[in-house]
């Protein structure tokens, strides 16, 4: 599924799970409207009668989505409209890849390559300037910066995180990603990680919204190892399974893709497991303006 380049923001919203949810819902609705035939003028209705929350006349799912083998694109992606307005060299491309809980860790290499290729194709660029990876089970929360750093040390899974890194090193060696980064790594986690990898991350992105300050041990480590520290306000649990099912389901705010019971070619049914989400931003260097921002999200459906 792709959220596309356009993002819908709610006033006061600064958490990326809301941004992602609004983006996906908006794109599903827009695709349904684009592919839906005009309603009969005899009842005074038209395509403009959609209220943005519920479709009174949905087109068949097979009309506004695309199936390619076992893959579904929801909605159909028109790659002819992809790309940036200026030359790729004029942009800073930052990408954040969220590995989601419940997804098969053994599939991360494929997931990473697929995610990066989708972004490169969408933006029409040969490489990404910075790719930040967010592993599940990681946070940077606490009543103070010292507590957040200490709690972070025991989070996640060191072995899985280190085992997932070689594909990122491969993308770096191929020139597809210029710089690599991590999200939510405190001083102890980061120190252990640096000792085990070949291509070291150059960025550590942490959410210090609750504890206000970057922990002094992390500041000291980052300075010594020449790692850039960035802050963010992304939601750790960016795409819960229940949220995705609601977006694709039969409810008033759903896209009508998933059904509770089989109903012909449009009746996809089964257990839905989100696999990964990738967030991309293209900033024009000399103006500091965001030209393109969006998401791709992938989930596995098992009947």
């Amino acid at each position: 599924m792709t959220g596309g380049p356009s993002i819908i923001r709610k006033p006061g919203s600064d958490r990326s799970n809301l941004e992602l949810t609004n983006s996906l819902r908006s794109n599903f609705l827009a695709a349904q409207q684009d592919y839906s035939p005009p309603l009969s003028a005899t009842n005074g209705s038209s395509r403009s009668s959609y209220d943005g929350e519920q479709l009174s006349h949905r087109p068949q799912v097979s009309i506004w989505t695309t199936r390619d083998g076992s893959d579904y694109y929801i909605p159909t992606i028109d790659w002819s409209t992809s790309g940036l307005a200026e030359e790729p060299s004029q942009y800073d491309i930052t990408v954040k890849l969220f590995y989601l809980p419940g997804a098969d860790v053994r599939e991360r290499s494929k997931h990473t390559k697929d995610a990066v290729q989708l972004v490169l194709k969408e933006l029409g660029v040969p490489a990404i300037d910075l790719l930040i990876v967010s592993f599940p089970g990681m946070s940077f929360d606490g009543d103070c910066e010292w507590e957040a750093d200490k709690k972070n040390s025991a989070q996640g899974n060191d072995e899985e995180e280190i085992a997932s890194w070689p594909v990122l090193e491969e993308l770096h060696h191929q020139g597809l990603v210029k710089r690599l980064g991590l999200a939510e790594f405190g001083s102890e986690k980061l120190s252990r990680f640096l000792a085990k990898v070949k291509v070291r991350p150059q960025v550590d992105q942490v959410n210090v919204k609750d504890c206000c300050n970057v922990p002094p041990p992390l500041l000291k480590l980052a300075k010594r190892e020449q790692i850039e520290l960035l802050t963010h306000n992304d939601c750790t649990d960016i795409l819960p399974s229940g949220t995705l099912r609601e977006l694709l389901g039969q409810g008033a705010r759903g896209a009508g893709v998933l059904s509770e019971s089989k109903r012909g070619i449009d009746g996809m049914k089964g257990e839905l497991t989100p696999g990964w989400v990738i967030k991309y931003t293209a900033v024009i260097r000399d103006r500091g303006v965001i030209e393109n921002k969006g998401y791709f999200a992938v989930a596995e459906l098992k009947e």
Side-chain angles (χ1 to χ4, degrees):
M1 295 172 297
T2 172
S6 61
I7 299 296
I8 305 299
R9 290 186 176 87
K10 292 184 178 180
S13 170
D14 64 351
R15 297 182 70 82
S16 64
N17 61 334
L18 291 179
E19 188 176 72
L20 170 62
T21 300
N22 292 335
S23 176
L24 291 173
R25 181 176 284 121
S26 175
N27 277 267
F28 296 160
L29 177 62
Q32 289 174 323
Q33 292 178 341
D34 288 342
Y35 286 94
S36 180
L39 299 181
S40 172
T42 59
N43 60 9
S45 300
S46 68
R47 286 173 59 186
S48 62
S49 65
Y50 294 117
D51 61 4
E53 299 293 338
Q54 180 178 9
L55 289 170
S56 59
H57 178 66
R58 284 180 176 143
Q60 286 188 329
V61 173
S62 57
I63 294 176
W64 61 278
T65 64
T66 300
R67 181 169 183 173
D68 183 7
S70 60
D71 296 333
Y72 285 90
Y73 289 87
I74 308 171
T76 296
I77 303 175
D78 183 3
W79 296 110
S80 66
T81 63
S82 300
L84 298 169
E86 301 181 33
E87 290 297 316
S89 61
Q90 302 301 310
Y91 297 89
D92 279 319
I93 310 296
T94 300
V95 173
K96 187 171 183 178
L97 175 60
F98 299 82
Y99 296 126
L100 302 183
D104 191 343
V105 175
R106 296 169 297 182
E107 294 294 316
R108 282 184 182 168
S109 179
K110 180 181 184 304
H111 291 170
T112 304
K113 292 178 180 179
D114 290 346
V116 168
Q117 286 300 324
L118 281 172
V119 172
L120 294 177
K121 188 173 183 179
E122 169 64 28
L123 298 180
V125 296
I128 291 166
D129 293 293
L130 172 62
L131 174 59
I132 298 171
V133 177
S134 175
F135 292 101
M138 302 290 294
S139 66
F140 218 77
D141 298 322
D143 294 332
C144 68
E145 58 268 27
W146 294 94
E147 180 184 349
D149 193 50
K150 183 177 180 180
K151 289 171 61 177
N152 178 269
S153 176
Q155 293 176 347
N157 185 307
D158 284 14
E159 292 184 1
E160 291 181 356
E161 292 149 10
I162 292 168
S164 303
W165 195 251
V167 66
L168 299 161
E169 295 176 326
E170 179 184 344
L171 293 172
H172 176 71
H173 288 313
Q174 292 174 348
L176 298 178
V177 177
K178 298 178 183 178
R179 295 200 301 160
L180 299 175
L182 296 166
E184 251 66 74
F185 270 58
S187 59
E188 293 186 31
K189 284 279 294 187
L190 182 57
S191 181
R192 296 197 299 264
F193 190 86
L194 292 174
K196 297 289 186 178
V197 299
K198 296 178 181 178
V199 179
R200 293 152 59 91
Q202 294 179 263
V203 169
D204 186 16
Q205 187 188 56
V206 296
N207 187 337
V208 293
K209 181 177 181 180
D210 295 329
C211 55
C212 300
N213 297 306
V214 176
L218 181 57
L219 280 171
K220 183 178 179 180
L221 176 65
K223 183 177 181 179
R224 183 177 72 241
E225 302 294 343
Q226 296 184 321
I227 293 175
E228 182 181 2
L229 292 178
L230 302 177
T231 60
H232 71 91
N233 56 15
D234 293 325
C235 181
T236 302
D237 192 11
I238 191 170
L239 187 61
S241 180
T243 298
L244 188 57
R245 176 165 286 280
E246 178 186 351
L247 284 168
L248 295 174
Q250 298 295 321
R253 294 169 61 83
V257 175
L258 292 178
S259 61
E260 299 303 322
S261 60
K262 292 184 178 179
R263 55 182 184 85
I265 60 173
D266 288 337
M268 290 191 290
K269 178 184 177 183
E271 293 298 320
L272 195 64
T273 303
W276 52 265
V277 170
I278 197 163
K279 172 183 178 181
Y280 59 89
T281 307
V283 177
I284 303 175
R285 283 198 175 99
D286 61 355
R287 298 200 294 274
V289 175
I290 297 176
E291 179 182 307
N292 200 317
K293 181 179 180 181
Y295 295 88
F296 286 99
V298 165
E300 183 178 9
L301 182 67
K302 292 184 178 180
E303 295 189 5

